[in-house]
Amino acid sequence: MNNPIGVFDSGVGGLTVAREIMRQLPNEDLVYFGDTARVPYGSKSKKTVLKYSRQIVRFLLTKNVKAIVAACNTASALALDEIAAEIDIPIIGVVKPGAKMAVETTKTGNVGVIGTESTVKSGIYNDYIRELNSDITVVSKACPLFVPLVEEGLLEDRVTDDIVGRYLHEMKEYKVDSLVLGCTHYPLIRNTIKRYMGENVNLVNPAFETAKSLKEMLTEQKLLNEEMHKPQYEYYVSDGVDKFISFADSVLPCRVTDTTVVDIESY
């Protein structure tokens, strides 16, 4: 089935998921929406995140997508179940695949989860991880400044080094050996986090695991496009086209030449 896959995020972080989908599903067309006017989602209420997510899903449905990926941990935590019940195409989030990999890779049974305030407060990673293995100790930490640092392009910067050290010292104290990057922006500062946490800590990138899960789901539901062709990628944002394009060009394996602004409030 050659309809596109819809991918959405609160901003540019979901491009890490789009990148993995492009790599792992090279025959799939993609429609990406970044809610750059209303980023970040992590400090907003469930009601607001649900409203924003519904608007974006309604927009993506106008693009005749065959499946949707909520490439945003906050939306996955707070809105996914409700939206899944409202639409008749499959939708997956980034939380379950990341939680599963954390359980599979920990040797000490001490797993760390970092994310936005809303994701951490929801306890969704803790619940999934403990559902898979109740013996695991989960240490969670909200890192609200990581998203603005990434959105500003401060990926390798002393400010980012300082903030990483300030947020993650507890993770070292608890001796976690598997750390979930529970926000799609966080893989973009993976090197800084890895430097601080050390070589013995496995960093779980839910973006990679989500693309893998998406491929499995599309195969099971006979929606996978197996025809070799040059995929079409479309990009939409709610604000800030130039900034988005320059960021996307630094993240994606292909050039982004065109991005369209959408009045998302009208959906």
Side-chain angles (χ1 to χ4, degrees), residues 3 9 98 106 112 148 150 158 169 188 195 217 245:
N3 292 45
D9 181 53
T106 183
V150 167
R158 274 187 308 185
H169 68 92
L188 295 165
R195 253 194 323 271
M217 184 197 76
I245 288 176

Side-chain angles (χ1 to χ4, degrees), residues 37-57:
R38 304 186 294 196
V39 67
Y41 281 13
S43 52
K44 294 181 171 68
S45 69
K46 173 169 178 156
K47 185 181 174 187
T48 298
V49 172
L50 187 54
K51 176 191 163 192
Y52 289 177
S53 301
R54 278 187 176 127
Q55 288 173 333
I56 295 165
V57 166

Side-chain angles (χ1 to χ4, degrees), residues 176-208:
V176 304
D177 72 337
S178 194
L179 180 64
V180 180
L181 306 180
C183 171
T184 46
H185 286 71
Y186 297 1
L188 295 165
I189 52 169
R190 186 182 189 284
N191 292 342
T192 307
I193 294 170
K194 187 73 175 172
R195 253 194 323 271
Y196 181 78
M197 292 303 296
E199 286 304 312
N200 295 329
V201 177
N202 177 55
L203 300 185
V204 176
N205 177 2
F208 179 84

Side-chain angles (χ1 to χ4, degrees), residues 135-235:
D135 294 331
I136 287 177
T137 301
V138 185
V139 184
S140 303
K141 177 74 179 174
C143 304
L145 291 176
F146 283 179
V147 170
L149 287 169
V150 167
E151 293 274 337
E152 287 303 317
L154 300 173
L155 307 184
E156 294 284 350
D157 193 278
R158 274 187 308 185
V159 175
T160 308
D161 287 340
D162 290 346
I163 299 297
V164 165
R166 185 170 296 193
Y167 280 150
L168 299 188
H169 68 92
E170 288 170 48
M171 295 295 170
K172 278 189 165 180
E173 286 171 18
Y174 281 101
K175 295 186 169 55
V176 304
D177 72 337
S178 194
L179 180 64
V180 180
L181 306 180
C183 171
T184 46
H185 286 71
Y186 297 1
L188 295 165
I189 52 169
R190 186 182 189 284
N191 292 342
T192 307
I193 294 170
K194 187 73 175 172
R195 253 194 323 271
Y196 181 78
M197 292 303 296
E199 286 304 312
N200 295 329
V201 177
N202 177 55
L203 300 185
V204 176
N205 177 2
F208 179 84
E209 305 306 327
T210 299
K212 216 161 68 175
S213 293
L214 175 66
K215 187 174 185 178
E216 288 167 11
M217 184 197 76
L218 292 176
T219 305
E220 280 168 18
Q221 301 199 20
K222 298 189 168 40
L223 294 171
L224 193 69
N225 186 8
E226 295 180 25
E227 285 177 31
M228 292 285 287
H229 79 297
K230 189 174 189 297
Q232 301 292 308
Y233 301 138
E234 294 177 26
Y235 306 93

